[in-house]
């Protein structure tokens, strides 16, 4: 059997990030920036007021600490207006964010005058009760970012805050790596639509629902969902059609040694299958050209795996990842195999660190967001004992639980920070068919190959499971490890 790390490395070696495209900011959320972006505008673009109050020359109210200074009010400066110059010895009422009048060098808060805050008629004069200093409550043009300064470096993930920064610095669009379009194909004559009547021997097609959701949760775009019968001809046609609008095709089922597994039938070479050699499968009637490489990976669940390419009608060789068909195997395989492939396609892997630029970028590191990268691993203690997979690395869905009464960490098995405790989500552990218990899973616990058993208090590594954001986010432990 092949180690999971080696299998994933071989798969990733055949992938390149998708070509960058120019997108409006509104369509770029969550993508990875493909080039450094300098400021096209200073931020702020002009010197403005940080408070609602009165724009003045500081020298005109310098004695206000000893006795109030009364200045005539020459006009209003609402946000968005271009004010008239400030005449010496006068004040102008000004709103937060409004451009500072020429000649003014300070803003006195309305609370430090005799005027009441809120919508009121413009007063003829204002009594200043606090002596301002030059620069008081003033935001200088470019004090955040100057014209031409770096705003974001290539490799930054375009979060809401990042897009806001780009907009404020004058950008209306960005060059970014697009979302990968993923086509989902489930195989099996026994599959029926969810909710449909269930003939004897049939099962609901839960894998297509699971894969479609995982694609979106991992930041990719769902291109299509289709299903194939258990014949090589049916699968070849479905794969070719799926590849037409996709950057990646992910299948579930049909990669084992069963007599009716369509992917292995499509390969048609049992010796090559057994040896893990690449095979070219052609169906001339369907116009299909599919390259496949199968492997037995030392993981539980998910031992039978495959990957290759499908030739689309436009001549593109679209990557194909073939997963086993049991639902827990699909979840584990997606998280450990498909997720890294999506990261490669969308420019999210191979970069890390914080406060650094790439290419020609420079300037203050604080202005450059962290690049996409793996989080530090998180570990936990087993609150229950469970069986392991012997010579295979085990990935078992777990949930966070209170510490068992009287339990303590076993000595000599590593250290954990603030101790977290986990237990399998189902009494049958990592059974690949236990789909109904998956919603309870908050992470995958990783048990190294060769571990004889997991005992209470033993340390395990955790891999986070993707899930949509929700109101209970704050109740969960901090983000967990990437694979």
């Amino acid at each position: 059997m092949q180690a999971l790390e080696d299998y994933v490395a071989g798969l990733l070696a055949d992938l390149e990030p998708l070509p960058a495209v120019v997108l409006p900011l509104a369509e770029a959320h969550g993508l990875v920036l493909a080039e450094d972006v300098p400021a096209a505008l200073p931020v702020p673009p002009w010197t403005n007021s940080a408070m609602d109050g009165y724009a003045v020359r500081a020298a005109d109210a310098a004695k206000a600490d000893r006795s109030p200074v009364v200045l005539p009010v020459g006009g209003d400066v609402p946000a968005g207006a271009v004010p008239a110059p400030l005449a010496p010895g006068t004040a102008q009422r000004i709103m937060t964010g409004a451009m500072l009048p020429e000649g003014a060098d300070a803003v006195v808060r309305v609370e430090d005058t005799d005027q009441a805050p809120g919508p009121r008629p413009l007063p003829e004069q204002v009594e200043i009760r606090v002596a301002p200093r030059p620069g008081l409550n003033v935001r200088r043009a470019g004090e955040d970012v100057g014209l031409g300064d770096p705003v974001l470096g290539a490799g930054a993930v375009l979060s809401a805050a990042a897009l806001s920064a780009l907009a404020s610095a004058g950008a209306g669009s960005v060059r970014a790596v697009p979302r990968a379009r993923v086509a989902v194909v489930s195989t099996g004559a026994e599959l029926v639509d969810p909710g449909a009547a269930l003939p004897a021997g049939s099962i609901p097609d839960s894998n297509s629902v699971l894969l479609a959701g995982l694609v979106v949760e991992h930041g990719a775009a769902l291109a299509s969902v289709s299903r194939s019968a258990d014949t090589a001809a049916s699968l070849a046609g479905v794969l070719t059609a799926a590849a037409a609008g996709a950057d990646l095709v992910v299948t579930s089922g049909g990669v084992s040694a069963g007599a009716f597994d369509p992917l292995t039938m499509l390969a048609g070479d049992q010796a090559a299958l057994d040896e893990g050699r690449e095979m070219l499968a052609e169906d001339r009637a369907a116009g299909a050209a599919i390259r496949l490489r199968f492997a037995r990976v030392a993981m539980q669940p998910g031992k039978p795996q495959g990957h290759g390419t499908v030739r689309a009608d436009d001549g593109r060789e679209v990557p194909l990842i073939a997963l086993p068909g049991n639902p827990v195997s699909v979840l584990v395989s997606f998280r450990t195999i498909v997720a890294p492939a999506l990261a490669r396609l969308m420019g999210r892997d191979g970069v890390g660190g914080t406060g650094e630029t790439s290419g020609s970028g420079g300037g203050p590191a604080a202005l450059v967001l962290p690049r996409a990268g793996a989080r530090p691993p998180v570990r936990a203690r087993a609150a229950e004992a469970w069986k392991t997979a012997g010579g295979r690395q085990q990935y078992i869905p777990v949930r966070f639980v209170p510490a068992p009464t009287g339990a303590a960490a076993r000595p000599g098995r590593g250290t954990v920070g603030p101790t977290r405790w986990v237990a399998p989500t189902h009494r049958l552990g990592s059974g690949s068919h236990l789909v109904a218990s998956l919603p309870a899973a908050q992470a995958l616990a990783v048990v190294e190959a060769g571990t004889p058993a997991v005992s209470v208090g033993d340390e395990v590594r955790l891999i986070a499971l993707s899930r949509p954001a929700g109101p209970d986010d704050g109740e969960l432990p901090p983000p967990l490890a990437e694979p």
Side-chain angles (χ1 to χ4, degrees), residues 25-48:
L25 295 186
E27 298 177 17
H29 184 251
L31 303 184
V32 172
L33 189 62
E35 62 185 8
D36 297 344
V37 179
L41 295 174
V43 181
W46 54 76
T47 300
N48 66 87

Side-chain angles (χ1 to χ4, degrees), residues 25-26 37 43 52 71 102 109 157 188 195 217 244 248 260 271 352 370 374 381 388 391-392 399 408 411 422:
L25 295 186
V37 179
V43 181
D52 293 331
L71 297 175
E102 180 183 345
R109 300 185 309 160
V157 176
E217 288 176 14
L248 174 68
F260 295 97
R381 301 286 183 191
T388 63
R392 290 186 284 163
R399 56 191 175 89
V422 294

Side-chain angles (χ1 to χ4, degrees), residues 138-431:
V138 172
R139 303 164 176 162
R140 296 292 176 188
E143 69 178 17
D144 185 6
V145 175
L147 180 66
D149 283 349
V151 181
L152 289 178
V157 176
L158 294 169
S159 64
L163 293 172
S164 175
L166 291 171
S168 70
S173 61
V174 289
R175 183 175 294 277
V177 183
R179 299 184 199 283
R181 302 167 299 164
V182 181
V184 169
V185 177
S186 55
T187 68
E190 75 279 15
L191 301 178
V192 299
D193 292 337
L198 204 63
S202 298
I203 59 172
D205 182 8
S206 61
N207 279 346
S208 63
V209 177
L210 175 60
L211 284 171
L214 289 171
V215 165
V216 175
E217 288 176 14
H218 281 76
L222 183 64
S224 64
V225 177
S226 52
R227 195 155 63 224
S228 165
D230 285 335
T231 68
S234 173
L235 180 59
V238 170
L239 290 178
T240 302
D247 303 305
L248 174 68
V249 177
V250 179
T251 69
S252 62
V255 294
S256 193
F260 295 97
D261 283 339
L263 277 160
T264 53
M265 284 192 292
L266 190 62
D269 183 346
Q270 188 62 43
L273 175 62
D274 292 339
E275 297 167 14
R277 288 189 276 113
E278 183 176 82
M279 293 160 283
L280 175 63
E282 293 186 300
D283 188 315
R284 302 187 192 283
I290 302 164
R291 291 186 181 273
L292 295 168
R293 182 183 292 275
F294 293 92
R296 292 182 172 87
V297 180
M299 60 188 293
Q300 183 202 51
K303 180 173 72 172
Q305 299 286 342
H307 72 275
T309 60
V310 182
R311 186 176 303 154
D313 291 338
D314 59 7
R316 292 179 303 124
E317 296 291 334
V318 179
L320 164 67
I321 300 178
L323 308 181
N326 284 308
V328 181
S329 298
V330 169
L331 175 66
V332 171
S333 300
F334 193 101
R335 192 65 186 85
T336 57
I337 297 171
V338 181
L342 289 176
R344 171 64 55 86
L345 291 172
M346 296 191 292
R348 289 176 174 267
D349 72 333
V351 289
T354 59
E356 60 182 10
T357 61
S358 67
S360 59
L367 301 178
V368 183
L369 293 188
R371 294 180 172 198
R375 301 184 181 102
V378 172
R379 298 181 181 274
R381 301 286 183 191
E384 299 177 8
W386 67 75
K387 294 181 179 180
T388 63
R392 290 186 284 163
Q393 189 158 269
Q394 184 184 47
Y395 294 83
I396 182 168
V398 295
R399 56 191 175 89
F400 294 95
V401 298
T405 303
R410 293 168 59 87
R413 297 299 297 272
T415 58
V416 179
T419 303
R420 299 175 176 86
W421 293 84
V422 294
T425 57
H426 196 281
R427 61 182 176 80
L428 296 180
S430 58

Side-chain angles (χ1 to χ4, degrees), residues 6-89:
D6 295 338
Y7 178 74
V8 172
L11 187 156
L12 295 182
D14 295 332
L15 300 179
E16 294 290 340
L18 297 172
V21 296
V22 176
L23 294 169
L25 295 186
E27 298 177 17
H29 184 251
L31 303 184
V32 172
L33 189 62
E35 62 185 8
D36 297 344
V37 179
L41 295 174
V43 181
W46 54 76
T47 300
N48 66 87
S49 175
M51 293 285 180
D52 293 331
Y54 290 83
V56 299
R57 296 172 188 264
D60 290 341
K63 298 180 180 179
D65 279 343
R66 284 174 279 177
S67 61
V69 173
V70 177
L71 297 175
V73 178
D76 261 328
V77 189
V82 179
L86 180 69

Side-chain angles (χ1 to χ4, degrees), residues 127-143:
E127 184 179 284
I128 308 295
R129 295 173 175 174
V130 173
R133 67 181 186 281
L136 179 68
N137 298 323
V138 172
R139 303 164 176 162
R140 296 292 176 188
E143 69 178 17

